[in-house]
Amino acid sequence: MAAPLVLVLVVAVTVRAALFRSSLAEFISERVEVVSPLSSWKRVVEGLSLLDLGVSPYSGAVFHETPLIIYLFHFLIDYAELVFMITDALTAIALYFAIQDFNKVVFKKQKLLLELDQYAPDVAELIRTPMEMRYIPLKVALLQCFPQCYFSCLSDIPVSVPTHLVCPRTPLSPPAAVHTCENEEQSLLDLFLGVCHDVCGKPSGNHLPLLLPSQLLGFHPRSLWLYINVFFYTIPLAIKLKEHPIFFMFIQIAVIAIFKSYPTVGDVALYMAFFPVWNHLYRFLRNIFVLTCIIIVCSLLFPVLWHLWIYAGSANSNFFYAITLTFNVGQILLISDYFYAFLRREYYLTHGLYLTAKDGTEAMLVLK
Amino acid sequence: MAAAMPLALLVLLLLGPGGWCLAEPPRDSLREELVITPLPSGDVAATFQFRTRWDSELQREGVSHYRLFPKALGQLISKYSLRELHLSFTQGFWRTRYWGPPFLQAPSVWINLGRSSVMSSQGSSAPLSTSSTPPTQSLPLPPSNPWVWPMTLTTTFCAMLCCRGRWSAPKTSPPGRSSCPVVPRASLISFHLLQAGLSVLLKADRLFHTSYHSQAVHIRPVCRNARCTSISWELRQTLSVVFDAFITGQGKKDWSLFRMFSRTLTEPCPLASESRVYVDITTYNQDNETLEVHPPPTTTYQDVILGTRKTYAIYDLLDTAMINNSRNLNIQLKWKRPPENEAPPVPFLHAQRYVSGYGLQKGELSTLLYNTHPYRAFPVLLLDTVPWYLRLYVHTLTITSKGKENKPSYIHYQPAQDRLQPHLLEMLIQLPANSVTKVSIQFERALLKWTEYTPDPNHGFYVSPSVLSALVPSMVAAKPVDWEESPLFNSLFPVSDGSNYFVRLYTEPLLVNLPTPDFSMPYNVICLTCTVVAVCYGSFYNLLTRTFHIEEPRTGGLAKRLANLIRRARGVPPL
């Protein structure tokens, strides 16, 4: 399994290097969909040059990173490109091994439940086999490398770091905690995320600007209530998904990506990288075609409407707002679709795949 | 709306209570002067200065008797323990490139408060930047509420002043001096007519139809003697106006007082100790045939002003012979031969500023500094105050002269804090001889909260002009003079050695557009965002609180039975 992973990494590094040197780099690094004020590389450079001038980077409102980033990049500023590529590669490798680990855990659990006769007799086709799970880690690593690399590597500090720094660390600790309770061996994923959480502190206090310019969702001044959504679903999800912590983490990451104040492509790509892990849920997804269309069309329209508002001056911010809203609706429905599919599969596993109603006809399953 | 002008305070002085004193009141004196300068581009500049000097220690002793010095300003100084106050209102822009260096330029609206030490006015003149005497008492800090100063000044001058943000204190100025770039579009004030002396020429409708007019009030303490044992307060009220010759002169470059001001001088101000009109006739002396001044001047004054030797014709209103015969004085200048159309002499230092870039996301602010001296390089202090909503990126600051990078000798940068204070960028740049230096910095435009937009947000937002201060080498060395005797326009910025003169220039104020949201958005945003959040909440709630059940087919229902009835009537199989 090492060879394909190495191949994937080599290709990813090559594509990133090519992008860095191309003329696209400058263009993409300023795009608002890719860069947020909280994770912009330009601001890191600005903070470092303020330090050189003898002014505290936190005395202005431009720099919002943690001191750790300052210390790290003070020495590595000339090798920033390399640092980004290495971090992305490490993220991919970490995810690869984490998912591999997870697969083993899933398979073990499945075997245990089969032996304990917890499953209904006719669910053979729902049981996951090692064969189909073989390539999942690779696919995850692939997906993690590529969509992000087109965008984030040029302008963001590696997305895995700020995503978990900038936005809430707390909602992700329940799934991590649950997972560690269940398994004696510490999952690599947990370790990775845990390190990100604990190491850094935010010196300027956890103030998030209440204004959400790039998404305009919080246009109204009292927009803090929107941010509550990030925390709001943690506990109910923890209660419902206490036996499936990795799925819980996936849903939580998606919710964070939807409701955080400056979402970017990197955040979306982070949770979308996990889709291969839940490939087996494909048959239970209800609206996947419509949602895929929504997401693709909205992604294509984002830069168009931004250009029309800011550069051409013919559209106004309503257009851009509408498209971000539609994109978020698509994301929400996608996540809830996956959640639905997951729950449905669990139901089928325990109650049998071919269900019949009392009068012998094929049963309809509803949520009641 | 009628508003009182600083010069209108003279009305109060003229009509105010006469001398009544139990003790000897402090001496005060008023000097007024008007300087008329034909500019190289054909326009005419008129600079009025009214200087009141009052030998009184305003801050130490309680003062109750005000004669020539305005009471409102005196009380302002003693109440807030000010050492210096400079307030200016300007409409238009002084085009240094075509008009030459100004005596005293002012940006649109600027308030400058100082605690700097005293200016020495006698003996060896002290340069502007060093302190001759340290302050003997510790001065209280400015009030923490930054609105106190503008509000007090607003009521005194009846102008709309809006001080956005905190007072910024540039590092290069003496400690305690702070300046506030006021909104560059403050509404201006109109004049009250005054009855005597030079103020008779100040007729509002002529003065406001000019290319440039600037009113300023400067209050500063000056030493009474060389050792500076006691100080007196100097109040200078200046008005600079530039008349567009082609509009006022109907195409000809001749001018006269009546044509410019629609008034003539009738009598001197009885309270003034000196009342003079200076007319720049430098070109006259070189060639007798070029122009003619009427009435012919009795005396002339020659000196090195702003680096070049100039000659002025003096008309002293206090000289009884001047006004006696005609009872009015209308100074006229006629060009006998049209002056050769030569290119106007380029001043040694001038500057330009502009915004480049496209779109509403980012831009670049560039300042061009021109040093046209053929062989001398000199340093320039550049002070930029940029509002917080244009986020400057100081790592993109580039200074190039003649194509090569020019590193500033000193740089001080104070980043902005959102809604609290603007960016402050101060640099000391060496301008090489005969070169153009470009200082550019990139910025990003911020999206403001919807209540912070002005009623016409698509007009744009103003950026205060940047301030350039320099000691420009003069073409002719000036001899140090006795400042008491020299005309007022020569004693504005005394310098210790005559080989250079001090100039303070202001660049153009800029207008930048910010990304403007649609102002109907709050309602839409609330409705739609709430809908989306409800959709999310609803989906998650369903999935979290409900479980799967097999649906039992329902047997009946009224609608189904009715439908089956109709179907049976039609002969179609039932549902």
Side-chain angles (χ1 to χ4, degrees):
Chain A
M1 284 316 284
L5 178 65
V6 168
L7 184 68
V8 164
L9 288 176
V10 163
V11 174
V13 166
T14 316
V15 174
R16 274 173 166 79
L19 274 173
F20 261 119
R21 273 150 192 74
S22 71
S23 58
L24 275 179
E26 176 104 15
F27 171 69
I28 293 181
S29 65
E30 299 275 307
R31 302 289 320 177
V32 73
E33 304 95 345
V34 181
V35 160
S36 76
L38 296 170
S39 67
S40 160
W41 176 243
K42 194 171 180 189
R43 291 183 181 227
V44 173
V45 175
E46 174 71 10
L48 290 174
S49 62
L50 282 177
L51 203 65
D52 288 337
L53 277 176
V55 176
S56 158
Y58 298 104
S59 55
V62 164
F63 188 73
H64 295 291
E65 301 295 340
T66 59
L68 191 76
I69 300 284
I70 297 184
Y71 293 136
L72 193 71
F73 283 105
H74 199 58
F75 306 108
L76 298 175
I77 186 91
D78 295 323
Y79 310 109
E81 190 184 306
L82 224 66
V83 169
F84 291 171
M85 291 203 278
I86 291 176
T87 325
D88 280 337
L90 284 177
T91 318
I93 294 175
L95 277 178
Y96 179 87
F97 287 115
I99 300 298
Q100 219 173 35
D101 242 1
F102 172 60
N103 280 346
K104 290 196 194 119
V105 165
V106 158
F107 194 58
K108 235 195 296 188
K109 196 164 160 190
Q110 196 172 246
K111 207 156 132 188
L112 184 70
L113 289 173
L114 267 175
E115 282 167 17
L116 293 177
D117 254 348
Q118 293 271 355
Y119 287 161
D122 57 350
V123 296
E125 51 192 74
L126 290 183
I127 301 289
R128 307 180 62 197
T129 60
M131 273 311 293
E132 83 186 23
M133 287 167 36
R134 204 170 131 79
Y135 285 107
I136 289 177
L138 194 63
K139 286 185 203 164
V140 170
L142 200 79
L143 276 184
Q144 200 275 338
C145 281
F146 284 92
Q148 273 175 251
C149 99
Y150 293 140
F151 307 112
S152 327
C153 68
L154 300 167
S155 53
D156 273 339
I157 30 187
V159 78
S160 44
V161 176
T163 310
H164 299 294
L165 289 181
V166 158
C167 215
R169 308 187 275 279
T170 34
L172 287 177
S173 22
V178 170
H179 191 81
T180 25
C181 287
E182 285 199 347
N183 306 286
E184 276 78 31
E185 58 266 11
Q186 185 74 286
S187 157
L188 262 177
L189 191 63
D190 294 333
L191 212 70
F192 183 56
L193 293 173
V195 162
C196 292
H197 296 174
D198 302 332
V199 161
C200 330
K202 236 177 153 105
S204 52
N206 211 357
H207 78 280
L208 275 174
L210 292 183
L211 192 60
L212 319 176
S214 62
Q215 303 297 325
L216 290 177
L217 271 180
F219 191 63
H220 191 265
R222 287 194 304 272
S223 60
L224 194 54
W225 64 271
L226 197 67
Y227 191 57
I228 290 176
N229 274 294
V230 177
F231 302 97
F232 186 59
Y233 296 107
T234 310
I235 296 180
L237 280 172
I239 296 170
K240 180 88 180 182
L241 294 172
K242 56 181 174 298
E243 318 213 327
H244 313 281
I246 298 295
F247 190 72
F248 173 25
M249 193 153 7
F250 167 67
I251 299 282
Q252 187 61 53
I253 292 176
V255 165
I256 292 175
I258 294 169
F259 288 109
K260 73 185 269 218
S261 41
Y262 295 100
T264 61
V265 172
D267 305 310
V268 174
L270 182 66
Y271 77 81
M272 285 200 178
F274 288 101
F275 280 154
V277 183
W278 318 110
N279 246 344
H280 55 280
L281 299 174
Y282 179 75
R283 58 185 288 178
F284 301 114
L285 292 171
R286 293 175 296 172
N287 307 316
I288 191 66
F289 174 68
V290 173
L291 294 173
T292 316
C293 289
I294 291 178
I295 290 188
I296 290 177
V297 169
C298 289
S299 316
L300 291 174
L301 278 179
F302 258 121
V304 172
L305 292 173
W306 177 256
H307 176 87
L308 280 180
W309 174 30
I310 295 288
Y311 294 101
S314 53
N316 61 21
S317 53
N318 271 317
F319 294 68
F320 191 70
Y321 167 69
I323 207 71
T324 60
L325 210 61
T326 320
F327 188 74
N328 280 323
V329 167
Q331 279 185 292
I332 289 171
L333 293 176
L334 183 67
I335 295 306
S336 56
D337 213 13
Y338 262 91
F339 197 5
Y340 173 87
F342 186 84
L343 292 175
R344 194 162 168 157
R345 180 175 172 270
E346 292 300 310
Y347 184 82
Y348 278 143
L349 277 178
T350 46
H351 292 89
L353 194 52
Y354 299 102
L355 300 163
T356 53
K358 286 209 184 91
D359 55 2
T361 52
E362 199 179 322
M364 297 265 295
L365 267 191
V366 292
L367 276 175
K368 267 215 179 55
Chain B
M1 76 180 182
M5 215 236 130
L7 290 152
L9 295 165
L10 279 173
V11 172
L12 304 168
L13 302 175
L14 292 169
L15 306 173
W20 64 289
C21 39
L22 303 169
E24 172 82 27
R27 283 185 316 119
D28 50 12
S29 63
L30 169 70
R31 275 173 69 174
E32 51 179 28
E33 117 192 336
L34 164 63
V35 182
I36 302 183
T37 320
L39 297 172
S41 61
D43 306 311
V44 181
T47 311
F48 292 83
Q49 265 202 62
F50 301 88
R51 190 198 75 175
T52 310
R53 176 175 291 176
W54 193 25
D55 296 336
S56 147
E57 308 266 352
L58 258 177
Q59 283 164 351
R60 292 223 200 103
E61 37 195 71
V63 176
S64 56
H65 181 70
Y66 290 83
R67 196 173 143 259
L68 288 174
F69 199 91
K71 183 174 175 185
L73 294 176
Q75 286 182 330
L76 199 72
I77 296 170
S78 53
K79 182 171 177 203
Y80 296 113
S81 309
L82 294 179
R83 293 307 288 262
E84 272 189 49
L85 170 68
H86 302 273
L87 172 64
S88 59
F89 296 92
T90 308
Q91 185 146 29
F93 180 68
W94 182 276
R95 295 184 206 145
T96 313
R97 169 79 178 76
Y98 300 101
W99 294 346
F103 291 129
L104 182 69
Q105 192 186 0
S108 312
V109 187
W110 200 271
I111 307 178
N112 205 314
L113 297 179
R115 276 64 178 311
S116 63
S117 52
V118 167
M119 295 274 313
S120 167
S121 68
Q122 305 212 357
S124 63
S125 51
L128 190 62
S129 54
T130 62
S131 59
S132 49
T133 323
T136 49
Q137 60 200 37
S138 63
L139 299 163
L141 296 167
S144 51
N145 179 4
W147 290 93
V148 171
W149 312 105
M151 283 303 132
T152 322
L153 293 168
T154 306
T155 51
T156 311
F157 296 103
C158 285
M160 185 190 81
L161 297 175
C162 171
C163 196
R164 285 227 178 139
R166 281 196 210 138
W167 293 81
S168 51
K171 279 276 163 70
T172 46
S173 55
R177 178 188 287 275
S178 47
S179 64
C180 172
V182 179
V183 168
R185 217 179 17 159
S187 65
L188 263 189
I189 48 190
S190 57
F191 296 89
H192 257 189
L193 284 180
L194 301 167
Q195 305 304 317
L198 288 176
S199 13
V200 106
L201 294 176
L202 301 174
K203 200 152 180 282
D205 58 342
R206 296 313 297 255
L207 286 169
F208 281 113
H209 288 101
T210 49
S211 314
Y212 168 87
H213 68 267
S214 163
Q215 310 155 10
V217 172
H218 306 277
I219 302 177
R220 63 184 182 187
V222 294
C223 294
R224 271 188 243 174
N225 47 33
R227 276 167 299 132
C228 215
T229 45
S230 50
I231 58 165
S232 42
W233 287 90
E234 182 187 81
L235 163 70
R236 283 185 194 233
Q237 299 167 86
T238 59
L239 170 68
S240 307
V241 188
V242 173
F243 290 95
D244 191 340
F246 290 103
I247 296 177
T248 47
Q250 284 100 38
K252 292 194 284 264
K253 285 197 181 157
D254 305 339
W255 55 263
S256 72
L257 277 186
F258 186 74
R259 217 186 255 169
M260 288 198 294
F261 299 104
S262 69
R263 288 287 190 97
T264 54
L265 295 165
T266 47
E267 53 172 355
C269 175
L271 290 173
S273 60
E274 201 179 287
S275 187
R276 288 196 187 158
V277 179
Y278 291 84
V279 180
D280 184 353
I281 50 169
T282 315
T283 42
Y284 176 74
N285 266 359
Q286 289 157 9
D287 183 350
N288 265 354
E289 296 298 312
T290 320
L291 51 82
E292 183 199 352
V293 185
H294 177 79
T298 44
T299 44
T300 55
Y301 170 72
Q302 268 204 9
D303 203 355
V304 176
I305 309 288
L306 294 175
T308 46
R309 189 167 291 283
K310 294 217 169 102
T311 313
Y312 290 88
I314 307 180
Y315 296 89
D316 194 342
L317 291 179
L318 290 175
D319 184 2
T320 42
M322 188 64 52
I323 303 191
N324 243 356
N325 31 11
S326 54
R327 288 221 323 208
N328 73 345
L329 176 65
N330 182 22
I331 302 172
Q332 290 171 316
L333 185 133
K334 287 198 180 46
W335 292 90
K336 282 216 199 127
R337 205 174 49 198
E340 297 97 40
N341 280 342
E342 55 190 32
V346 184
F348 286 147
L349 173 68
H350 61 280
Q352 225 184 331
R353 193 165 75 145
Y354 57 90
V355 168
S356 52
Y358 66 95
L360 295 175
Q361 193 183 2
K362 50 190 169 43
E364 191 177 359
L365 197 63
S366 305
T367 313
L368 293 175
L369 306 168
Y370 295 87
N371 175 7
T372 54
H373 200 285
Y375 51 86
R376 287 274 299 270
F378 54 87
V380 159
L381 187 68
L382 177 67
L383 172 67
D384 251 319
T385 313
V386 178
W388 67 267
Y389 38 82
L390 301 181
R391 298 184 205 275
L392 294 181
Y393 285 97
V394 82
H395 71 274
T396 55
L397 176 68
T398 48
I399 308 176
T400 46
S401 306
K402 291 187 181 168
K404 287 193 305 241
E405 199 198 327
N406 181 355
K407 208 162 145 36
S409 330
Y410 167 78
I411 180 165
H412 167 63
Y413 175 64
Q414 196 178 11
Q417 286 183 355
D418 279 5
R419 296 173 189 91
L420 285 179
Q421 79 184 32
H423 297 276
L424 185 75
L425 180 62
E426 249 187 302
M427 290 182 288
L428 186 66
I429 306 172
Q430 289 284 343
L431 301 184
N434 207 15
S435 66
V436 179
T437 305
K438 181 171 176 189
V439 180
S440 59
I441 187 166
Q442 287 178 10
F443 63 86
E444 214 176 61
R445 301 169 206 232
L447 195 68
L448 304 179
K449 292 191 183 163
W450 71 294
T451 46
E452 289 172 352
Y453 286 96
T454 53
D456 184 11
N458 290 303
H459 176 78
F461 288 76
Y462 285 99
V463 180
S464 310
S466 41
V467 190
L468 296 155
S469 316
L471 282 171
V472 181
S474 357
M475 284 211 292
V476 181
K479 290 187 296 290
V481 292
D482 183 8
W483 303 111
E484 258 320 294
E485 297 307 317
S486 63
L488 292 176
F489 62 88
N490 208 2
S491 56
L492 276 168
F493 294 117
V495 283
S496 52
D497 75 293
S499 62
N500 39 26
Y501 61 94
F502 178 78
V503 122
R504 176 166 281 154
L505 293 178
Y506 296 88
T507 58
E508 299 93 331
L510 299 172
L511 193 61
V512 287
N513 272 83
L514 292 183
T516 311
D518 185 20
F519 289 97
S520 67
M521 276 189 86
Y523 173 73
N524 296 338
V525 164
I526 295 174
C527 289
L528 295 173
T529 312
C530 290
T531 311
V532 169
V533 172
V535 163
C536 174
Y537 175 76
S539 319
F540 273 96
Y541 178 81
N542 267 343
L543 292 167
L544 288 169
T545 51
R546 299 184 184 194
T547 48
F548 282 102
H549 296 280
I550 296 179
E551 188 191 10
E552 302 302 323
R554 271 187 303 163
T555 44
L558 183 61
K560 198 166 171 194
R561 263 184 275 163
L562 220 65
N564 279 339
L565 217 71
I566 298 171
R567 285 173 92 104
R568 223 178 323 148
R570 284 168 60 196
V572 167
L575 285 168

